Amino acid sequence: MVLIVFVLFFILLALSVPIAVSMGISTIFPALIDPDFAVNAAYVVRSMIKGVDSTALVAVPLFMLSGAIMATGGLSKQLFNCFSLVIGKLRGGMPCAVVITCLFYGAISGSGPATCAAVGAMCIPVLTNLGYDKVFSAALVATAAGLGVIIPPSIPYIAYAMVTDVSVGALFMAGILPGILIAAVLMIYTVVYCIKSGENRERVMEEYEALKKHGAFKVFVEAIPALLTPVIILGGIYTGWLTPTDAACVSVIYSIIVCLFIYKSVKVSELLEFFRQGVKSFAPMAAMMALAQGFVKLLVFLDAPDVFAEFLAATVNNKVTFLLILNALLILLGMVIDVGPANMILAPMLIPFASSLGVSPVHLGIIMTCNLAIGFVTPPFGMNLFVAAPMIKVDAMVVGRRAMPLILFYIVALMMITFIPQISLCLLGSSF
């Protein structure tokens, strides 16, 4: 029955049925063919309600709301100007400033596509005006925007925590260094690319001097509110002053204060629309998370975690082999399913066997999220590709092909994160 459920689920996905609907149909399918099956419609509904009855889940729409406000508020521009002034005159400095902007903006939005949209809309025109290839610029933003789900606060981390006993705060802290490492590796490729392909140094220096003429001190001061956002969120969680949900509330209040009173880029009359759009954006995600809870309950009832663990034990005989196979499967899966639902479905099945091999549940969550994030930019279904491509008016597959070298460098960082657990775990303190 487990095999039938999964086959049905992936057939529905292949037919372009929405993920939430695919999970819903797959969950109730056993009861449809056997009316006496225990996991019937009433059981599924109870599981859905109980599963989303979580304080931690409240953080998701709040982080989405604060990210939307800050996107409209122009924080990506302030961040880019600041980082451009610091490293812009170096070889490959301007594209590297885009990667760092994605890293910091990811700590605001918690979403890959949202980071791609906000940073890409501002940075891609800047890079193309400086003479960089437009497809390279779009591919760089699309790939670096995947940091939005790796650097905390990350919505997939919350989804992972909902179906495990792992602390959301622990996942947030564990995601910091992996996010920085991936950003550093992408920047290394960017510098190599710029050295090999050349740059229009005259245009770059003109842009750099224009920023300096604006006033270095003024640029840094204008960027301080944006730079403080991840410090306030993560600092509050790490010190124990705030829970992740508290931090999400603070992020909304802070975003309103910054955009309304400091940058004055948002009007009071626009706030209601932000709340309305926030509800519209979260509603399908909430339905997907609720249905994922029902799907997970079905898998547990069918002993899928035990069956999966027995299969792995019979076919995988050591930790290294398991992690290599896991990475390959997750990269492929990330092409067809969103990282949040994938975490919720796979985590309960993977944790028992991974723990038996000495893989920490926190480390497993980071590995899974980093792997699945590659799906944002992997053809043919990478969401970030479809966000970035229209900005330069080319087909998404053109951007996807140009992103392949960046993905290879990303995978190098992924292997380091996978096989050096302390990259993820060294920041975890006694409070977790």
Side-chain angles (χ1 to χ4, degrees):
M1 183 61 76
V2 174
L3 182 59
I4 294 174
V5 168
F6 271 107
V7 169
L8 175 61
F9 176 64
F10 283 106
I11 288 176
L12 291 171
L13 288 180
L15 294 174
S16 299
V17 177
I19 295 175
V21 177
S22 299
M23 284 191 292
I25 294 174
S26 302
T27 303
I28 64 172
F29 180 74
L32 292 177
I33 61 176
D34 180 6
D36 296 325
F37 190 69
V39 184
N40 53 28
Y43 181 93
V44 171
V45 171
R46 288 195 299 270
S47 298
M48 290 168 58
I49 294 172
K50 184 178 179 181
V52 296
D53 185 15
S54 168
T55 303
L57 184 60
V58 178
V60 175
L62 291 175
F63 279 130
M64 293 174 67
L65 175 60
S66 65
I69 294 173
M70 291 185 183
T72 304
L75 268 70
S76 58
K77 184 178 188 307
Q78 307 300 337
L79 290 170
F80 179 71
N81 287 344
C82 175
F83 300 133
S84 296
L85 196 58
V86 174
I87 63 173
K89 67 178 180 180
L90 302 177
R91 182 61 62 90
M94 288 296 182
C96 285
V98 172
V99 176
I100 302 175
T101 301
C102 287
L103 180 71
F104 268 78
Y105 194 85
I108 294 172
S109 72
S111 166
T115 299
C116 186
V119 177
M122 192 276 301
C123 290
I124 290 176
V126 172
L127 291 182
T128 53
N129 287 336
L130 293 176
Y132 295 99
D133 176 68
K134 67 178 183 179
V135 181
F136 162 75
S137 302
L140 179 65
V141 171
T143 307
L147 294 168
V149 297
I150 298 170
I151 203 76
S154 165
I155 294 171
Y157 291 158
I158 298 174
Y160 180 90
M162 285 178 64
V163 293
T164 66
D165 293 326
V166 177
S167 160
V168 176
L171 289 165
F172 279 7
M173 294 310 302
I176 295 175
L177 292 185
I180 293 173
L181 173 62
I182 293 171
V185 169
L186 293 179
M187 290 168 65
I188 291 172
Y189 169 79
T190 299
V191 172
V192 172
Y193 170 85
C194 291
I195 292 174
K196 182 179 178 181
S197 302
E199 294 179 287
N200 189 327
R201 297 300 300 171
E202 184 177 348
R203 285 194 194 176
V204 171
M205 292 309 299
E206 284 178 2
E207 179 72 15
Y208 179 78
E209 292 301 327
L211 280 173
K212 283 187 66 176
K213 190 176 294 185
H214 183 65
F217 180 75
K218 185 177 181 180
V219 170
F220 288 131
V221 169
E222 288 176 348
I224 285 175
L227 293 170
L228 282 178
T229 304
V231 175
I232 292 172
I233 294 172
L234 298 178
I237 295 172
Y238 188 71
T239 57
W241 294 346
L242 301 172
T243 67
T245 304
D246 295 335
C249 294
V250 170
S251 72
V252 172
I253 296 171
Y254 183 74
S255 66
I256 292 174
I257 292 173
V258 169
C259 297
L260 203 63
F261 301 109
I262 298 178
Y263 292 148
K264 298 180 180 178
S265 51
V266 171
K267 300 176 181 178
V268 176
S269 58
E270 296 175 322
L271 293 180
L272 183 60
E273 183 60 26
F274 281 120
F275 283 98
R276 186 182 294 114
Q277 291 300 322
V279 171
K280 288 183 179 179
S281 299
F282 179 63
M285 182 177 294
M288 187 163 54
M289 286 184 167
L291 287 164
Q293 290 284 355
F295 191 56
V296 168
K297 291 293 184 182
L298 171 66
L299 296 179
V300 171
F301 182 84
L302 295 173
D303 293 325
D306 293 336
V307 172
F308 194 59
E310 290 174 5
F311 170 76
L312 289 174
T315 55
V316 179
N317 54 15
N318 62 72
K319 181 178 177 179
V320 172
T321 305
F322 167 70
L323 291 174
L324 287 173
I325 293 174
L326 176 65
N327 281 325
L329 290 176
L330 290 174
I331 289 174
L332 292 173
L333 189 62
M335 297 180 187
V336 296
I337 187 170
D338 189 72
V339 57
N343 274 351
M344 297 182 75
I345 294 168
L346 294 176
M349 295 192 296
L350 289 171
I351 282 180
F353 186 73
S355 298
S356 71
L357 294 177
V359 179
S360 160
V362 174
H363 185 212
L364 179 66
I366 301 302
I367 293 172
M368 291 180 64
T369 303
C370 290
N371 266 287
L372 293 164
I374 297 177
F376 281 126
V377 72
T378 308
F381 304 112
M383 180 65 71
N384 286 359
L385 300 178
F386 292 95
V387 175
M391 297 180 188
I392 58 171
K393 299 179 180 178
V394 301
D395 186 76
M397 294 306 101
V398 174
V399 179
R401 286 193 293 271
R402 188 62 192 82
M404 293 311 296
L406 287 158
I407 293 173
L408 292 176
F409 271 70
Y410 185 121
I411 291 175
V412 171
L414 174 62
M415 291 298 102
M416 295 174 65
I417 293 165
T418 299
F419 293 104
I420 308 176
Q422 286 307 307
I423 294 176
S424 304
L425 305 179
C426 66
L427 294 182
L428 297 184
S430 57
S431 58
F432 300 112

